[in-house]
PDB file of all heavy atoms in Angstrom:
ATOM      1  N   ASN A 155    -108.795  24.598 -64.189  1.00  0.00           N
ATOM      2  CA  ASN A 155    -109.451  25.208 -65.338  1.00  0.00           C
ATOM      3  C   ASN A 155    -110.956  25.086 -65.181  1.00  0.00           C
ATOM      4  O   ASN A 155    -111.512  24.003 -65.320  1.00  0.00           O
ATOM      5  CB  ASN A 155    -109.009  24.520 -66.640  1.00  0.00           C
ATOM      6  CG  ASN A 155    -107.551  24.769 -66.953  1.00  0.00           C
ATOM      7  OD1 ASN A 155    -107.014  25.809 -66.614  1.00  0.00           O
ATOM      8  ND2 ASN A 155    -106.909  23.805 -67.589  1.00  0.00           N
ATOM      9  N   PRO A 156    -111.646  26.204 -64.878  1.00  0.00           N
ATOM     10  CA  PRO A 156    -113.094  26.119 -64.701  1.00  0.00           C
ATOM     11  C   PRO A 156    -113.801  25.862 -66.016  1.00  0.00           C
ATOM     12  O   PRO A 156    -113.345  26.270 -67.077  1.00  0.00           O
ATOM     13  CB  PRO A 156    -113.447  27.519 -64.158  1.00  0.00           C
ATOM     14  CG  PRO A 156    -112.370  28.414 -64.696  1.00  0.00           C
ATOM     15  CD  PRO A 156    -111.128  27.567 -64.733  1.00  0.00           C
ATOM     16  N   ASP A 157    -114.912  25.153 -65.954  1.00  0.00           N
ATOM     17  CA  ASP A 157    -115.730  24.907 -67.133  1.00  0.00           C
ATOM     18  C   ASP A 157    -116.554  26.164 -67.395  1.00  0.00           C
ATOM     19  O   ASP A 157    -117.484  26.466 -66.650  1.00  0.00           O
ATOM     20  CB  ASP A 157    -116.641  23.706 -66.892  1.00  0.00           C
ATOM     21  CG  ASP A 157    -117.407  23.309 -68.156  1.00  0.00           C
ATOM     22  OD1 ASP A 157    -117.397  24.088 -69.123  1.00  0.00           O
ATOM     23  OD2 ASP A 157    -118.010  22.221 -68.155  1.00  0.00           O
ATOM     24  N   SER A 158    -116.200  26.911 -68.446  1.00  0.00           N
ATOM     25  CA  SER A 158    -116.866  28.192 -68.713  1.00  0.00           C
ATOM     26  C   SER A 158    -118.356  28.014 -68.955  1.00  0.00           C
ATOM     27  O   SER A 158    -119.149  28.939 -68.756  1.00  0.00           O
ATOM     28  CB  SER A 158    -116.220  28.884 -69.908  1.00  0.00           C
ATOM     29  OG  SER A 158    -116.322  28.078 -71.077  1.00  0.00           O
ATOM     30  N   LYS A 159    -118.776  26.808 -69.395  1.00  0.00           N
ATOM     31  CA  LYS A 159    -120.191  26.572 -69.668  1.00  0.00           C
ATOM     32  C   LYS A 159    -121.001  26.489 -68.382  1.00  0.00           C
ATOM     33  O   LYS A 159    -122.225  26.591 -68.408  1.00  0.00           O
ATOM     34  CB  LYS A 159    -120.358  25.287 -70.479  1.00  0.00           C
ATOM     35  CG  LYS A 159    -119.756  25.361 -71.883  1.00  0.00           C
ATOM     36  CD  LYS A 159    -119.984  24.065 -72.642  1.00  0.00           C
ATOM     37  CE  LYS A 159    -119.395  24.134 -74.043  1.00  0.00           C
ATOM     38  NZ  LYS A 159    -119.602  22.878 -74.801  1.00  0.00           N
ATOM     39  N   LYS A 160    -120.324  26.271 -67.239  1.00  0.00           N
ATOM     40  CA  LYS A 160    -121.035  26.134 -65.978  1.00  0.00           C
ATOM     41  C   LYS A 160    -120.943  27.382 -65.114  1.00  0.00           C
ATOM     42  O   LYS A 160    -121.433  27.401 -63.983  1.00  0.00           O
ATOM     43  CB  LYS A 160    -120.489  24.925 -65.200  1.00  0.00           C
ATOM     44  CG  LYS A 160    -120.771  23.583 -65.878  1.00  0.00           C
ATOM     45  CD  LYS A 160    -120.301  22.428 -65.025  1.00  0.00           C
ATOM     46  CE  LYS A 160    -120.622  21.091 -65.689  1.00  0.00           C
ATOM     47  NZ  LYS A 160    -120.186  19.946 -64.869  1.00  0.00           N
ATOM     48  N   ILE A 161    -120.277  28.432 -65.624  1.00  0.00           N
ATOM     49  CA  ILE A 161    -120.170  29.668 -64.865  1.00  0.00           C
ATOM     50  C   ILE A 161    -121.519  30.385 -64.900  1.00  0.00           C
ATOM     51  O   ILE A 161    -122.040  30.682 -65.965  1.00  0.00           O
ATOM     52  CB  ILE A 161    -119.080  30.587 -65.449  1.00  0.00           C
ATOM     53  CG1 ILE A 161    -117.711  29.897 -65.374  1.00  0.00           C
ATOM     54  CG2 ILE A 161    -119.040  31.916 -64.702  1.00  0.00           C
ATOM     55  CD1 ILE A 161    -116.599  30.683 -66.025  1.00  0.00           C
ATOM     56  N   PRO A 162    -122.124  30.668 -63.747  1.00  0.00           N
ATOM     57  CA  PRO A 162    -123.426  31.340 -63.738  1.00  0.00           C
ATOM     58  C   PRO A 162    -123.276  32.859 -63.838  1.00  0.00           C
ATOM     59  O   PRO A 162    -122.167  33.399 -63.694  1.00  0.00           O
ATOM     60  CB  PRO A 162    -123.999  30.948 -62.378  1.00  0.00           C
ATOM     61  CG  PRO A 162    -122.777  30.838 -61.513  1.00  0.00           C
ATOM     62  CD  PRO A 162    -121.679  30.299 -62.399  1.00  0.00           C
ATOM     63  N   THR A 163    -124.367  33.532 -64.058  1.00  0.00           N
ATOM     64  CA  THR A 163    -124.371  34.996 -63.981  1.00  0.00           C
ATOM     65  C   THR A 163    -124.183  35.387 -62.515  1.00  0.00           C
ATOM     66  O   THR A 163    -124.809  34.813 -61.623  1.00  0.00           O
ATOM     67  CB  THR A 163    -125.697  35.556 -64.503  1.00  0.00           C
ATOM     68  OG1 THR A 163    -125.845  35.203 -65.882  1.00  0.00           O
ATOM     69  CG2 THR A 163    -125.749  37.068 -64.363  1.00  0.00           C
ATOM     70  N   ILE A 164    -123.313  36.361 -62.265  1.00  0.00           N
ATOM     71  CA  ILE A 164    -123.012  36.796 -60.907  1.00  0.00           C
ATOM     72  C   ILE A 164    -123.417  38.259 -60.751  1.00  0.00           C
ATOM     73  O   ILE A 164    -122.957  39.120 -61.514  1.00  0.00           O
ATOM     74  CB  ILE A 164    -121.519  36.627 -60.572  1.00  0.00           C
ATOM     75  CG1 ILE A 164    -121.111  35.155 -60.735  1.00  0.00           C
ATOM     76  CG2 ILE A 164    -121.226  37.109 -59.155  1.00  0.00           C
ATOM     77  CD1 ILE A 164    -119.619  34.917 -60.576  1.00  0.00           C
ATOM     78  N   VAL A 165    -124.265  38.536 -59.785  1.00  0.00           N
ATOM     79  CA  VAL A 165    -124.723  39.898 -59.512  1.00  0.00           C
ATOM     80  C   VAL A 165    -124.183  40.319 -58.143  1.00  0.00           C
ATOM     81  O   VAL A 165    -124.375  39.604 -57.154  1.00  0.00           O
ATOM     82  CB  VAL A 165    -126.258  39.984 -59.527  1.00  0.00           C
ATOM     83  CG1 VAL A 165    -126.713  41.401 -59.190  1.00  0.00           C
ATOM     84  CG2 VAL A 165    -126.799  39.560 -60.890  1.00  0.00           C
ATOM     85  N   ILE A 166    -123.511  41.464 -58.116  1.00  0.00           N
ATOM     86  CA  ILE A 166    -122.913  41.981 -56.877  1.00  0.00           C
ATOM     87  C   ILE A 166    -123.652  43.248 -56.471  1.00  0.00           C
ATOM     88  O   ILE A 166    -123.803  44.168 -57.275  1.00  0.00           O
ATOM     89  CB  ILE A 166    -121.411  42.270 -57.070  1.00  0.00           C
ATOM     90  CG1 ILE A 166    -120.680  40.982 -57.456  1.00  0.00           C
ATOM     91  CG2 ILE A 166    -120.809  42.865 -55.801  1.00  0.00           C
ATOM     92  CD1 ILE A 166    -119.225  41.197 -57.836  1.00  0.00           C
ATOM     93  N   GLU A 167    -124.107  43.295 -55.227  1.00  0.00           N
ATOM     94  CA  GLU A 167    -124.852  44.447 -54.735  1.00  0.00           C
ATOM     95  C   GLU A 167    -124.219  45.004 -53.465  1.00  0.00           C
ATOM     96  O   GLU A 167    -123.912  44.254 -52.542  1.00  0.00           O
ATOM     97  CB  GLU A 167    -126.312  44.050 -54.444  1.00  0.00           C
ATOM     98  CG  GLU A 167    -127.071  43.553 -55.666  1.00  0.00           C
ATOM     99  CD  GLU A 167    -128.489  43.131 -55.333  1.00  0.00           C
ATOM    100  OE1 GLU A 167    -128.856  43.174 -54.137  1.00  0.00           O
ATOM    101  OE2 GLU A 167    -129.236  42.772 -56.255  1.00  0.00           O
ATOM    102  N   ASP A 168    -124.015  46.323 -53.462  1.00  0.00           N
ATOM    103  CA  ASP A 168    -123.535  47.035 -52.271  1.00  0.00           C
ATOM    104  C   ASP A 168    -122.241  46.430 -51.723  1.00  0.00           C
ATOM    105  O   ASP A 168    -122.167  46.039 -50.559  1.00  0.00           O
ATOM    106  CB  ASP A 168    -124.617  47.045 -51.195  1.00  0.00           C
ATOM    107  CG  ASP A 168    -124.313  48.037 -50.079  1.00  0.00           C
ATOM    108  OD1 ASP A 168    -123.567  48.997 -50.342  1.00  0.00           O
ATOM    109  OD2 ASP A 168    -124.814  47.851 -48.953  1.00  0.00           O
ATOM    110  N   ALA A 169    -121.240  46.361 -52.578  1.00  0.00           N
ATOM    111  CA  ALA A 169    -119.952  45.789 -52.179  1.00  0.00           C
ATOM    112  C   ALA A 169    -118.935  46.889 -51.859  1.00  0.00           C
ATOM    113  O   ALA A 169    -119.115  48.055 -52.228  1.00  0.00           O
ATOM    114  CB  ALA A 169    -119.408  44.894 -53.283  1.00  0.00           C
ATOM    115  N   GLN A 170    -117.877  46.493 -51.181  1.00  0.00           N
ATOM    116  CA  GLN A 170    -116.787  47.411 -50.841  1.00  0.00           C
ATOM    117  C   GLN A 170    -115.463  46.685 -50.994  1.00  0.00           C
ATOM    118  O   GLN A 170    -115.318  45.536 -50.570  1.00  0.00           O
ATOM    119  CB  GLN A 170    -116.940  47.930 -49.410  1.00  0.00           C
ATOM    120  CG  GLN A 170    -115.827  48.894 -48.985  1.00  0.00           C
ATOM    121  CD  GLN A 170    -116.059  49.488 -47.604  1.00  0.00           C
ATOM    122  OE1 GLN A 170    -117.196  49.729 -47.213  1.00  0.00           O
ATOM    123  NE2 GLN A 170    -114.997  49.720 -46.867  1.00  0.00           N
ATOM    124  N   VAL A 171    -114.507  47.365 -51.622  1.00  0.00           N
ATOM    125  CA  VAL A 171    -113.178  46.804 -51.816  1.00  0.00           C
ATOM    126  C   VAL A 171    -112.151  47.744 -51.207  1.00  0.00           C
ATOM    127  O   VAL A 171    -112.140  48.949 -51.508  1.00  0.00           O
ATOM    128  CB  VAL A 171    -112.863  46.591 -53.314  1.00  0.00           C
ATOM    129  CG1 VAL A 171    -111.411  46.139 -53.496  1.00  0.00           C
ATOM    130  CG2 VAL A 171    -113.822  45.575 -53.921  1.00  0.00           C
ATOM    131  N   GLU A 172    -111.296  47.214 -50.352  1.00  0.00           N
ATOM    132  CA  GLU A 172    -110.197  47.991 -49.776  1.00  0.00           C
ATOM    133  C   GLU A 172    -108.893  47.472 -50.373  1.00  0.00           C
ATOM    134  O   GLU A 172    -108.438  46.377 -50.034  1.00  0.00           O
ATOM    135  CB  GLU A 172    -110.176  47.865 -48.255  1.00  0.00           C
ATOM    136  CG  GLU A 172    -111.349  48.542 -47.567  1.00  0.00           C
ATOM    137  CD  GLU A 172    -111.243  48.479 -46.059  1.00  0.00           C
ATOM    138  OE1 GLU A 172    -110.217  47.969 -45.537  1.00  0.00           O
ATOM    139  OE2 GLU A 172    -112.189  48.928 -45.388  1.00  0.00           O
ATOM    140  N   LEU A 173    -108.316  48.243 -51.255  1.00  0.00           N
ATOM    141  CA  LEU A 173    -107.091  47.855 -51.939  1.00  0.00           C
ATOM    142  C   LEU A 173    -105.891  48.346 -51.129  1.00  0.00           C
ATOM    143  O   LEU A 173    -105.714  49.541 -50.922  1.00  0.00           O
ATOM    144  CB  LEU A 173    -107.065  48.460 -53.344  1.00  0.00           C
ATOM    145  CG  LEU A 173    -105.878  48.105 -54.235  1.00  0.00           C
ATOM    146  CD1 LEU A 173    -105.823  46.608 -54.486  1.00  0.00           C
ATOM    147  CD2 LEU A 173    -105.970  48.868 -55.548  1.00  0.00           C
ATOM    148  N   VAL A 174    -105.076  47.393 -50.653  1.00  0.00           N
ATOM    149  CA  VAL A 174    -103.921  47.729 -49.815  1.00  0.00           C
ATOM    150  C   VAL A 174    -102.643  47.461 -50.604  1.00  0.00           C
ATOM    151  O   VAL A 174    -102.444  46.352 -51.116  1.00  0.00           O
ATOM    152  CB  VAL A 174    -103.920  46.897 -48.514  1.00  0.00           C
ATOM    153  CG1 VAL A 174    -102.705  47.265 -47.659  1.00  0.00           C
ATOM    154  CG2 VAL A 174    -105.212  47.116 -47.746  1.00  0.00           C
ATOM    155  N   ASP A 175    -101.783  48.473 -50.681  1.00  0.00           N
ATOM    156  CA  ASP A 175    -100.508  48.345 -51.398  1.00  0.00           C
ATOM    157  C   ASP A 175     -99.370  48.564 -50.413  1.00  0.00           C
ATOM    158  O   ASP A 175     -99.164  49.669 -49.905  1.00  0.00           O
ATOM    159  CB  ASP A 175    -100.429  49.384 -52.523  1.00  0.00           C
ATOM    160  CG  ASP A 175     -99.216  49.151 -53.426  1.00  0.00           C
ATOM    161  OD1 ASP A 175     -98.438  48.209 -53.145  1.00  0.00           O
ATOM    162  OD2 ASP A 175     -99.052  49.907 -54.396  1.00  0.00           O
ATOM    163  N   ARG A 176     -98.603  47.485 -50.138  1.00  0.00           N
ATOM    164  CA  ARG A 176     -97.512  47.564 -49.176  1.00  0.00           C
ATOM    165  C   ARG A 176     -96.145  47.643 -49.841  1.00  0.00           C
ATOM    166  O   ARG A 176     -95.123  47.508 -49.175  1.00  0.00           O
ATOM    167  CB  ARG A 176     -97.559  46.357 -48.236  1.00  0.00           C
ATOM    168  CG  ARG A 176     -98.786  46.356 -47.346  1.00  0.00           C
ATOM    169  CD  ARG A 176     -98.798  45.195 -46.388  1.00  0.00           C
ATOM    170  NE  ARG A 176     -99.951  45.248 -45.499  1.00  0.00           N
ATOM    171  CZ  ARG A 176    -100.272  44.309 -44.621  1.00  0.00           C
ATOM    172  NH1 ARG A 176     -99.491  43.225 -44.542  1.00  0.00           N
ATOM    173  NH2 ARG A 176    -101.326  44.435 -43.859  1.00  0.00           N
ATOM    174  N   VAL A 177     -96.140  47.839 -51.152  1.00  0.00           N
ATOM    175  CA  VAL A 177     -94.865  47.999 -51.853  1.00  0.00           C
ATOM    176  C   VAL A 177     -94.184  49.298 -51.435  1.00  0.00           C
ATOM    177  O   VAL A 177     -92.982  49.301 -51.140  1.00  0.00           O
ATOM    178  CB  VAL A 177     -95.069  47.939 -53.380  1.00  0.00           C
ATOM    179  CG1 VAL A 177     -93.765  48.308 -54.093  1.00  0.00           C
ATOM    180  CG2 VAL A 177     -95.511  46.537 -53.795  1.00  0.00           C
ATOM    181  N   PRO A 178     -94.898  50.425 -51.388  1.00  0.00           N
ATOM    182  CA  PRO A 178     -94.262  51.660 -50.913  1.00  0.00           C
ATOM    183  C   PRO A 178     -93.869  51.539 -49.436  1.00  0.00           C
ATOM    184  O   PRO A 178     -94.382  50.691 -48.706  1.00  0.00           O
ATOM    185  CB  PRO A 178     -95.359  52.719 -51.096  1.00  0.00           C
ATOM    186  CG  PRO A 178     -96.315  52.132 -52.075  1.00  0.00           C
ATOM    187  CD  PRO A 178     -96.287  50.655 -51.826  1.00  0.00           C
ATOM    188  N   VAL A 179     -92.943  52.407 -49.036  1.00  0.00           N
ATOM    189  CA  VAL A 179     -92.513  52.405 -47.632  1.00  0.00           C
ATOM    190  C   VAL A 179     -93.714  52.678 -46.725  1.00  0.00           C
ATOM    191  O   VAL A 179     -93.892  52.046 -45.683  1.00  0.00           O
ATOM    192  CB  VAL A 179     -91.399  53.451 -47.407  1.00  0.00           C
ATOM    193  CG1 VAL A 179     -91.016  53.492 -45.923  1.00  0.00           C
ATOM    194  CG2 VAL A 179     -90.187  53.130 -48.258  1.00  0.00           C
ATOM    195  N   GLN A 180     -94.532  53.637 -47.145  1.00  0.00           N
ATOM    196  CA  GLN A 180     -95.769  53.919 -46.433  1.00  0.00           C
ATOM    197  C   GLN A 180     -96.932  53.243 -47.172  1.00  0.00           C
ATOM    198  O   GLN A 180     -97.294  53.664 -48.271  1.00  0.00           O
ATOM    199  CB  GLN A 180     -96.006  55.438 -46.355  1.00  0.00           C
ATOM    200  CG  GLN A 180     -94.985  56.193 -45.516  1.00  0.00           C
ATOM    201  CD  GLN A 180     -95.090  55.825 -44.043  1.00  0.00           C
ATOM    202  OE1 GLN A 180     -96.154  55.440 -43.561  1.00  0.00           O
ATOM    203  NE2 GLN A 180     -93.972  55.934 -43.328  1.00  0.00           N
ATOM    204  N   PRO A 181     -97.481  52.162 -46.633  1.00  0.00           N
ATOM    205  CA  PRO A 181     -98.570  51.450 -47.321  1.00  0.00           C
ATOM    206  C   PRO A 181     -99.730  52.384 -47.685  1.00  0.00           C
ATOM    207  O   PRO A 181    -100.043  53.320 -46.941  1.00  0.00           O
ATOM    208  CB  PRO A 181     -99.007  50.401 -46.298  1.00  0.00           C
ATOM    209  CG  PRO A 181     -97.812  50.208 -45.423  1.00  0.00           C
ATOM    210  CD  PRO A 181     -97.149  51.548 -45.337  1.00  0.00           C
ATOM    211  N   LYS A 182    -100.313  52.113 -48.831  1.00  0.00           N
ATOM    212  CA  LYS A 182    -101.438  52.915 -49.302  1.00  0.00           C
ATOM    213  C   LYS A 182    -102.713  52.075 -49.286  1.00  0.00           C
ATOM    214  O   LYS A 182    -102.676  50.878 -49.564  1.00  0.00           O
ATOM    215  CB  LYS A 182    -101.175  53.421 -50.719  1.00  0.00           C
ATOM    216  CG  LYS A 182     -99.976  54.360 -50.839  1.00  0.00           C
ATOM    217  CD  LYS A 182     -99.802  54.807 -52.277  1.00  0.00           C
ATOM    218  CE  LYS A 182     -98.607  55.754 -52.413  1.00  0.00           C
ATOM    219  NZ  LYS A 182     -98.429  56.199 -53.818  1.00  0.00           N
ATOM    220  N   VAL A 183    -103.805  52.734 -48.971  1.00  0.00           N
ATOM    221  CA  VAL A 183    -105.101  52.070 -48.959  1.00  0.00           C
ATOM    222  C   VAL A 183    -106.081  52.887 -49.794  1.00  0.00           C
ATOM    223  O   VAL A 183    -106.258  54.079 -49.562  1.00  0.00           O
ATOM    224  CB  VAL A 183    -105.659  51.912 -47.529  1.00  0.00           C
ATOM    225  CG1 VAL A 183    -107.025  51.232 -47.569  1.00  0.00           C
ATOM    226  CG2 VAL A 183    -104.700  51.116 -46.665  1.00  0.00           C
ATOM    227  N   ILE A 184    -106.669  52.252 -50.786  1.00  0.00           N
ATOM    228  CA  ILE A 184    -107.679  52.894 -51.622  1.00  0.00           C
ATOM    229  C   ILE A 184    -108.982  52.117 -51.457  1.00  0.00           C
ATOM    230  O   ILE A 184    -109.000  50.899 -51.632  1.00  0.00           O
ATOM    231  CB  ILE A 184    -107.273  52.929 -53.107  1.00  0.00           C
ATOM    232  CG1 ILE A 184    -105.929  53.654 -53.270  1.00  0.00           C
ATOM    233  CG2 ILE A 184    -108.341  53.612 -53.950  1.00  0.00           C
ATOM    234  CD1 ILE A 184    -105.412  53.646 -54.692  1.00  0.00           C
ATOM    235  N   THR A 185    -110.029  52.832 -51.125  1.00  0.00           N
ATOM    236  CA  THR A 185    -111.313  52.188 -50.878  1.00  0.00           C
ATOM    237  C   THR A 185    -112.302  52.497 -52.000  1.00  0.00           C
ATOM    238  O   THR A 185    -112.459  53.652 -52.401  1.00  0.00           O
ATOM    239  CB  THR A 185    -111.905  52.663 -49.537  1.00  0.00           C
ATOM    240  OG1 THR A 185    -110.992  52.341 -48.484  1.00  0.00           O
ATOM    241  CG2 THR A 185    -113.232  51.975 -49.265  1.00  0.00           C
ATOM    242  N   PHE A 186    -112.930  51.457 -52.502  1.00  0.00           N
ATOM    243  CA  PHE A 186    -113.984  51.591 -53.491  1.00  0.00           C
ATOM    244  C   PHE A 186    -115.274  51.088 -52.845  1.00  0.00           C
ATOM    245  O   PHE A 186    -115.326  49.949 -52.365  1.00  0.00           O
ATOM    246  CB  PHE A 186    -113.681  50.767 -54.744  1.00  0.00           C
ATOM    247  CG  PHE A 186    -112.398  51.152 -55.426  1.00  0.00           C
ATOM    248  CD1 PHE A 186    -111.207  50.521 -55.093  1.00  0.00           C
ATOM    249  CD2 PHE A 186    -112.376  52.148 -56.390  1.00  0.00           C
ATOM    250  CE1 PHE A 186    -110.017  50.870 -55.717  1.00  0.00           C
ATOM    251  CE2 PHE A 186    -111.199  52.502 -57.019  1.00  0.00           C
ATOM    252  CZ  PHE A 186    -110.009  51.862 -56.680  1.00  0.00           C
ATOM    253  N   GLY A 187    -116.283  51.934 -52.825  1.00  0.00           N
ATOM    254  CA  GLY A 187    -117.529  51.547 -52.181  1.00  0.00           C
ATOM    255  C   GLY A 187    -118.728  51.655 -53.104  1.00  0.00           C
ATOM    256  O   GLY A 187    -118.614  52.065 -54.261  1.00  0.00           O
TER     257      GLY A 187
END
Side-chain angles (χ1 to χ4, degrees):
N155 293 329
D157 186 348
S158 60
K159 294 181 180 180
K160 294 184 178 181
I161 298 175
T163 298
I164 301 174
V165 178
I166 300 173
E167 299 178 357
D168 194 24
Q170 180 175 326
V171 174
E172 291 184 4
L173 183 61
V174 180
D175 189 358
R176 294 182 177 175
V177 172
V179 177
Q180 294 293 333
K182 297 180 180 180
V183 179
I184 303 176
T185 301
F186 301 91

